[in-house]
Amino acid sequence: MEKKENSSVSEKVAGKIASAKTILISVLVAAVVVITVFVLCSVINTKVSKKGLTAIDSISYNLTKDSVSLSAEDLDVRRAKAMTDLTPYTKKGGVVGVRANMLAGEISYSQKNYESCVSYWETAAKKDKNVYTAPLCYYNAAVAYEELGNLDKAESCYEKAIGYKEFVQIAHAKFSLGRVKEAKGDVEGAIKAYKDLTDTVSNDSFVNLAKSRLLLLDNSSN
């Protein structure tokens, strides 16, 4: 009877984890919007930076304008053009380079070009290690690495994101770190990651998921 109950709980938690991974991308899109607003509202003193950001905004606008009504083929054409237009800006430093690589990463993810995606996100993180953009970039890179099946790299990027205590999605990142460690068979590491989440974060749905995983892992080890 106890085994059946544990199996039922496990299935329910697995379903919640799957839903959490789906939610992840929509949360990231919202977070990118927040970052974009921050960037645009930041004090930028050079005309070059202003011109570059304006160009990137234009590329983003042309990419998304009336996109709901477009066919898959038309969307692919727009994405390809956007990537071409972004190329010179991805090579720049500062906020322009960061934003260009972030947008290129988003587009690459939508194209399921995950190898390019991780490259753009990690480049963006390295160009500016501030607390607003860097953890988000590492977080997104980790998601893409998971899509590639590279759990070691995903683990590393989640750890880098967690290193920024101000990261607004730190609870999700900590849970994802535990989930990846668990997938790698590192039960001890997974338990440590989940406990770190439950000990440092409160009033978050991922805390409840972490508690469920801890319960199941404890039961399986007995």
Side-chain angles (χ1 to χ4, degrees), residues 68-116:
V68 176
S69 61
L70 295 179
S71 65
E73 292 76 12
D74 290 335
L75 280 173
D76 285 339
V77 170
R78 280 199 183 183
R79 288 167 180 158
K81 177 173 174 29
M83 291 297 284
T84 299
D85 293 342
L86 280 171
T87 299
Y89 299 102
T90 58
K91 297 178 174 64
K92 293 185 179 296
V95 68
V96 173
V98 171
R99 183 63 189 110
N101 279 279
M102 289 175 72
L103 181 54
E106 292 177 54
I107 296 171
S108 296
Y109 191 93
S110 69
Q111 295 173 316
K112 297 185 179 181
N113 189 349
Y114 302 122
E115 290 186 359
S116 292

Side-chain angles (χ1 to χ4, degrees), residues 15-187:
K16 289 182 179 180
I17 292 174
S19 298
K21 291 184 72 176
T22 302
I23 293 171
L24 175 66
I25 302 306
S26 62
V27 169
L28 294 181
V29 172
V32 167
V33 173
V34 173
I35 297 301
T36 302
V37 172
F38 168 80
V39 169
L40 293 177
C41 293
S42 296
V43 178
I44 303 170
N45 295 319
T46 66
K47 291 183 178 179
V48 174
S49 293
K50 289 182 179 179
K51 184 177 180 180
L53 286 175
T54 299
I56 294 169
D57 285 341
S58 179
I59 294 170
S60 179
Y61 175 77
N62 291 331
L63 172 66
T64 58
K65 181 183 178 183
D66 301 324
S67 60
V68 176
S69 61
L70 295 179
S71 65
E73 292 76 12
D74 290 335
L75 280 173
D76 285 339
V77 170
R78 280 199 183 183
R79 288 167 180 158
K81 177 173 174 29
M83 291 297 284
T84 299
D85 293 342
L86 280 171
T87 299
Y89 299 102
T90 58
K91 297 178 174 64
K92 293 185 179 296
V95 68
V96 173
V98 171
R99 183 63 189 110
N101 279 279
M102 289 175 72
L103 181 54
E106 292 177 54
I107 296 171
S108 296
Y109 191 93
S110 69
Q111 295 173 316
K112 297 185 179 181
N113 189 349
Y114 302 122
E115 290 186 359
S116 292
C117 181
V118 295
S119 177
Y120 286 121
W121 283 116
E122 288 186 310
T123 297
K126 293 172 183 176
K127 281 182 180 289
D128 191 346
K129 298 181 180 181
N130 70 66
V131 297
Y132 297 98
T133 56
L136 174 61
C137 292
Y138 283 126
Y139 184 58
N140 284 2
V143 173
Y145 273 126
E146 283 198 74
E147 294 289 353
L148 289 169
N150 193 333
L151 297 185
D152 289 336
K153 287 285 189 179
E155 179 181 2
S156 175
C157 284
Y158 280 130
E159 288 175 340
K160 289 177 181 177
I162 291 168
Y164 291 80
K165 304 305 180 184
E166 301 86 351
F167 183 34
V168 295
Q169 293 296 326
I170 195 167
H172 202 158
K174 286 185 175 183
F175 179 81
S176 295
L177 177 61
R179 176 173 52 73
V180 167
K181 286 181 178 292
E182 194 174 347
K184 290 176 61 179
D186 182 6
V187 176

Side-chain angles (χ1 to χ4, degrees), residues 175 194 197-198 206-216:
F175 179 81
Y194 290 140
L197 171 56
T198 59
F206 288 102
V207 173
N208 295 329
L209 281 175
K211 289 179 179 178
S212 297
R213 296 311 301 164
L214 285 170
L215 178 62
L216 290 169

